[in-house]
Amino acid sequence: NAGVMQNPRHLVRRRGQEARLRCSPMKGHSHVYWYRQLPEEGLKFMVYLQKENIIDESGMPKERFSAEFPKEGPSILRIQQVVRGDSAAYFCASSLSRGGEIADTQYFGPGTRLTVL
Amino acid sequence: KNEVEQSPQNLTAQEGEFITINCSYSVGISALHWLQQHPGGGIVSLFMLSSGKKKHGRLIATINIQEKHSSLHITASHPRDSAVYICAVSLRGGADGLTFGKGTHLIIQP
């Protein structure tokens, strides 16, 4: 059973370009989370999605960032018109859905290291 | 004030020592998670707990809900345990995004 997969592992973009980060959750997992780790800082929540729905995007910057988790295919985190401050490691995690008030273990992907020149 | 505080921030110990990393939180939670991040950057979930104590190999995690405090212990520490250990909480009921502590940088010297 493959774990959470992310690609690319490393991504270099020039200022003003677009960055697309992909995340394939573990088989059977319907919850996807995106987190950002800025250099020398801790992890921060960005967005939580289920298939075709954004559940919580309270951690997402209001501009230039968007996320989707379509019915088919991986979840995508898209950053438009990247700036140097977007350079960071972006981690995706997935979990099972057990419903109700029960939290579940989140399994992390290897991350995408984005460098903006 | 951060919602999740960890201590110590950095810890260097000798191989074989008993290690304790502490985590305090200031809000109601549905679960607390301990994660391990290796120098290569990958993140592994070690424990998720909402009460009591869990053990896996040489790792033990405890939580005291009344005191809003959790500890991660490593027995018979080994250089391969060197990593960043991160405490994180699920703030609301059900599946939701985690809120993280800043991590504890652990170095185990041979």
Side-chain angles (χ1 to χ4, degrees):
Chain A
N1 185 12
V4 178
M5 298 175 70
Q6 289 187 250
N7 68 80
R9 295 289 302 275
H10 299 274
L11 182 62
V12 179
R13 285 287 178 267
R14 296 191 180 280
R15 282 179 296 170
Q17 292 184 320
E18 179 180 287
R20 281 186 177 239
L21 287 62
R22 294 174 188 79
C23 169
S24 296
M26 286 181 70
K27 188 177 180 181
H29 285 194
S30 59
H31 295 225
V32 166
Y33 311 82
W34 285 94
Y35 299 99
R36 179 164 68 173
Q37 188 172 39
L38 292 166
E40 305 305 319
E41 292 190 21
L43 286 152
K44 302 287 185 189
F45 166 73
M46 298 182 74
V47 62
Y48 160 38
L49 310 104
Q50 294 180 26
K51 285 283 187 183
E52 300 185 280
N53 284 304
I54 297 174
I55 306 302
D56 179 0
E57 56 182 347
S58 59
M60 195 95 100
K62 294 287 185 281
E63 297 178 351
R64 301 187 298 107
F65 286 72
S66 62
E68 62 176 8
F69 188 15
K71 188 176 179 181
E72 301 290 338
S75 175
I76 306 286
L77 179 68
R78 182 182 177 207
I79 311 172
Q80 295 178 289
Q81 299 175 329
V82 296
V83 301
R84 289 220 173 102
D86 297 332
S87 295
Y90 293 82
F91 289 94
C92 165
S94 73
S95 71
L96 279 170
S97 167
R98 290 192 283 169
E101 298 291 301
I102 302 172
D104 216 333
T105 298
Q106 295 189 15
Y107 297 87
F108 285 77
T112 294
R113 272 81 182 162
L114 172 66
T115 301
V116 180
L117 301 177
Chain B
K1 185 181 187 297
N2 291 330
E3 290 167 316
V4 182
E5 297 276 0
Q6 282 186 242
S7 64
Q9 197 170 348
N10 297 284
L11 178 58
T12 299
Q14 294 298 122
E15 184 173 355
E17 286 189 40
F18 181 82
I19 303 299
T20 295
I21 299 169
N22 295 300
C23 176
S24 297
Y25 52 93
S26 57
V27 293
I29 67 170
S30 59
L32 184 141
H33 307 249
W34 281 103
L35 310 170
Q36 180 191 56
Q37 185 170 28
H38 273 281
I43 298 172
V44 175
S45 178
L46 299 175
F47 296 103
M48 184 189 72
L49 63 167
S50 54
S51 65
K53 176 180 173 178
K54 287 190 176 180
K55 185 175 188 292
H56 181 69
R58 295 180 294 106
L59 301 178
I60 303 166
T62 64
I63 187 168
N64 184 318
I65 296 296
Q66 286 73 30
E67 295 188 3
K68 293 187 165 67
H69 181 268
S70 175
S71 292
L72 176 69
H73 305 285
I74 305 174
T75 62
S77 60
H78 190 276
R80 65 175 174 266
D81 297 325
S82 298
V84 177
Y85 292 84
I86 303 167
C87 173
V89 297
S90 302
L91 290 181
R92 296 177 292 277
D96 65 353
L98 300 179
T99 298
F100 299 86
K102 292 188 176 180
T104 295
H105 293 248
L106 174 66
I107 297 173
I108 303 297
Q109 294 178 335

